[in-house]
Amino acid sequence: MPGDVEAILVAGMHRSGTSSLAGTLVKMGATAPRTLMGASEGNERGHWESWAVMELNDEILAAVGSSWSDWHPIREFWDDEGFMARFRDRARAMLDTEFDHSTFYVFKDPRLCRILPFWIRVLGESGAIFRVLLPVRNPLEVAYSLRKRSGFSLSLGLLLWLTHTLDAEAYSRGSARAVVDWTDFLSDSRLTLARAGEHLGRAWPYQSIKNRSEMEDFLTEDLRHNVVSDADFEIHPDINNWIKRTYRAMQQLAREPHSEDALHTLQDVRVEFHRAAELFGPILLKLEKQEEERAEAYRILQDKERAAETRSALLGGEVGLQTERAALAEQEREHLRHLLGQTEVERSDLAQQVEASATERDRLCAERDRVAAEKEQLEAERNRAAAEKEQLTAERDRVAAEKEQLEAERNRAAAEKEQLTAERDRVAAEKEQLEAERDRSTAEREQLADELKRRVEELKAMKQDLERVNEAFERANSQGMLRRLIGSRHS
């Protein structure tokens, strides 16, 4: 099943201990590639990488106009579906063939540093689990080793170390990974691998006493042909600030894989390096071509000296062959001295151009600092605007809440108004009714008053009549009493 397949990708700069690390993983049980590179001078215990994979990686680099010895930033093609389609199927088939469908294999090639996202995508699409080991070695030791093996200048070796290291670190972010300090690895491989396994989130296969003994025999200090002390590294004139910051940051990640300071440092250096490459890259191309010609001449000389030594050994050390070899070597040395003389003249011319470019760089740096200051000011403005926006948003929400409350108050007032209007209409109707009652009562009162007045008049008339009757009665009484009195007297 694809999900059961695990690949350990060893992505480190050439001469940085990638072979010893990959070989150790094979000793621990990982599958090595089928078309395995053999041992060579400088890698006496094997490269532990695939010829087929190396050739494919060289082809991919060439397709984007680069090579293993190119320090310039390359075009990032892994999101280009058309480009990916050219190599994806071959890469998948090659993994199956090279590792014989193994469920645990080690996949090592220094070229991985430059094109790691391509292989991460291929492995991810195939469903394999992958983890990345990033071996890091003192960059000056790497440069010395490259000079001895390939004839590179220290400056070119250091540039290659820088671009390979920065790319491998940047491209492996987000993946399960561990940085391995090669010096620590040689001193105590078991402890270093245990720490790496902890950072990777996996346990290594159990190692028997025999396995451990084989590993100890495999990893010895004589693997480190070039040794540079920390003090020499710090003061060496070819070691610039980018190299120092990058090496120290990678050492920090080997101990603390999530160090924010180290990650920020590496990101900043990579951005600065790419900007400088855009500015100075075209100027250095001619010098780099001369460097390549000198290195090629150096390799040719080495090959011829080795061939001469072989012929001398086969012929039993005849004087004629020795003289021929010496003459040939002298001729090649003279050619190299001529090339070096031309290189020095052109290097002087280029140095003047570089000095002029340095002035331009200083101006651009000042401009960059000014832009950075303006950016910082704009950031402050943006933060202030964001604070004001947040304040205005809160004010808007408060006003909206008050508006909602006022709407509720208005609706309640409208309801009360409607209720009061109905009450007013009812009161008006009652008032109208009461006024009608009042008018009717007034009419009745006036009618009663007229009736009362009429009755009073009648009563007055009756009183007058009564008074007249009383007077008549009193007169009648008075007359009767007089008659009785007269009668009595007559009697």
Side-chain angles (χ1 to χ4, degrees), residues 334-347:
E334 183 62 31
H335 178 62
L336 279 175
R337 281 193 289 269
H338 177 70
L339 287 177
L340 287 173
Q342 288 182 333
T343 301
E344 287 301 324
V345 172
E346 293 177 354
R347 187 189 296 270

Side-chain angles (χ1 to χ4, degrees), residues 376-390:
E376 186 175 352
Q377 183 178 0
L378 289 174
E379 287 285 345
E381 291 287 339
R382 187 189 67 180
N383 293 336
R384 184 166 61 254
E388 291 178 356
K389 177 184 176 183
E390 185 175 354

Side-chain angles (χ1 to χ4, degrees), residues 116-406:
L116 189 59
F118 169 80
W119 286 104
I120 285 178
R121 185 170 173 185
V122 168
L123 289 166
E125 290 172 353
S126 69
I129 299 170
F130 60 88
R131 295 177 171 86
V132 184
L133 287 176
L134 304 175
V136 61
R137 182 184 181 185
N138 185 306
L140 196 54
E141 293 181 0
V142 172
Y144 281 140
S145 183
L146 281 173
R147 184 172 66 178
K148 181 178 180 181
R149 188 195 73 175
S150 303
F152 289 169
S153 67
L154 290 182
S155 297
L156 178 57
L158 291 169
L159 274 175
L160 288 170
W161 180 90
L162 183 62
T163 194
H164 278 70
T165 302
L166 290 174
D167 281 356
E169 189 281 323
Y171 294 149
S172 61
R173 291 192 182 189
S175 301
R177 71 175 188 179
V179 177
V180 177
D181 188 317
W182 193 57
T183 302
D184 293 344
F185 178 67
L186 287 182
S187 298
D188 192 336
S189 60
R190 292 178 61 194
L191 174 61
T192 304
L193 284 174
R195 184 187 301 120
E198 182 179 348
H199 295 170
L200 292 173
R202 67 105 64 219
W204 302 111
Y206 170 76
Q207 301 302 304
S208 65
I209 296 176
K210 180 181 178 182
N211 289 138
R212 295 174 188 173
S213 177
E214 289 178 353
M215 287 171 57
E216 290 175 358
D217 292 340
F218 180 73
L219 293 173
T220 56
E221 281 294 333
D222 60 357
L223 289 175
R224 193 177 181 186
H225 302 296
N226 298 277
V227 180
V228 176
S229 67
D230 287 343
D232 289 343
F233 172 77
E234 290 294 334
I235 65 173
H236 197 283
D238 284 338
I239 302 298
N240 61 34
N241 184 256
W242 288 339
I243 301 286
K244 290 179 182 179
R245 291 165 64 194
T246 300
Y247 182 45
R248 295 310 180 204
M250 292 297 288
Q251 287 183 309
Q252 181 69 19
L253 288 182
R255 298 186 297 272
E256 303 173 44
H258 304 295
S259 170
E260 291 293 333
D261 289 342
L263 292 172
H264 285 313
T265 295
L266 291 164
Q267 179 67 23
D268 291 345
V269 170
R270 191 165 187 260
V271 170
E272 294 169 10
F273 177 63
H274 281 198
R275 287 175 180 168
E278 291 179 4
L279 180 62
F280 295 110
I283 298 174
L284 296 174
L285 282 175
K286 187 175 181 180
L287 185 61
E288 290 171 18
K289 185 176 181 181
Q290 294 169 356
E291 178 81 19
E292 291 175 3
E293 291 174 351
R294 188 179 69 81
E296 181 64 23
Y298 178 82
R299 285 193 292 272
I300 292 172
L301 177 60
Q302 282 188 320
D303 292 342
K304 289 183 177 180
E305 286 183 343
R306 281 194 292 269
E309 289 173 358
T310 301
R311 286 197 301 271
S312 177
L314 291 173
L315 295 174
E318 294 181 0
V319 175
L321 184 58
Q322 292 177 358
T323 304
E324 179 187 349
R325 186 187 66 181
L328 181 60
E330 183 60 32
Q331 181 182 355
E332 291 297 335
R333 288 191 186 94
E334 183 62 31
H335 178 62
L336 279 175
R337 281 193 289 269
H338 177 70
L339 287 177
L340 287 173
Q342 288 182 333
T343 301
E344 287 301 324
V345 172
E346 293 177 354
R347 187 189 296 270
S348 177
D349 293 339
L350 286 172
Q352 294 178 3
Q353 297 179 29
V354 169
E355 184 176 356
S357 297
T359 302
E360 177 66 11
R361 180 199 62 189
D362 293 340
R363 186 188 67 79
L364 291 174
C365 287
E367 180 69 14
R368 181 198 64 192
D369 294 340
R370 184 186 63 79
V371 171
E374 291 179 357
K375 178 184 176 183
E376 186 175 352
Q377 183 178 0
L378 289 174
E379 287 285 345
E381 291 287 339
R382 187 189 67 180
N383 293 336
R384 184 166 61 254
E388 291 178 356
K389 177 184 176 183
E390 185 175 354
Q391 184 178 359
L392 289 173
T393 300
E395 184 69 16
R396 182 196 64 190
D397 294 342
R398 185 185 63 77
V399 169
E402 291 180 355
K403 178 183 175 183
E404 186 176 351
Q405 184 178 0
L406 290 173

Side-chain angles (χ1 to χ4, degrees), residues 3 19 43 79 82 96 109 111-112 114 141 153 315 353 374 378 381 389 462 467 470-471 473:
S19 299
N43 266 54
D79 291 327
D96 290 340
D109 182 6
R111 295 158 184 80
L112 288 176
R114 310 301 309 280
E141 293 181 0
S153 67
L315 295 174
Q353 297 179 29
E374 291 179 357
L378 289 174
E381 291 287 339
K389 177 184 176 183
M462 290 177 65
E467 285 177 348
N470 284 335
E471 288 179 358
F473 183 74

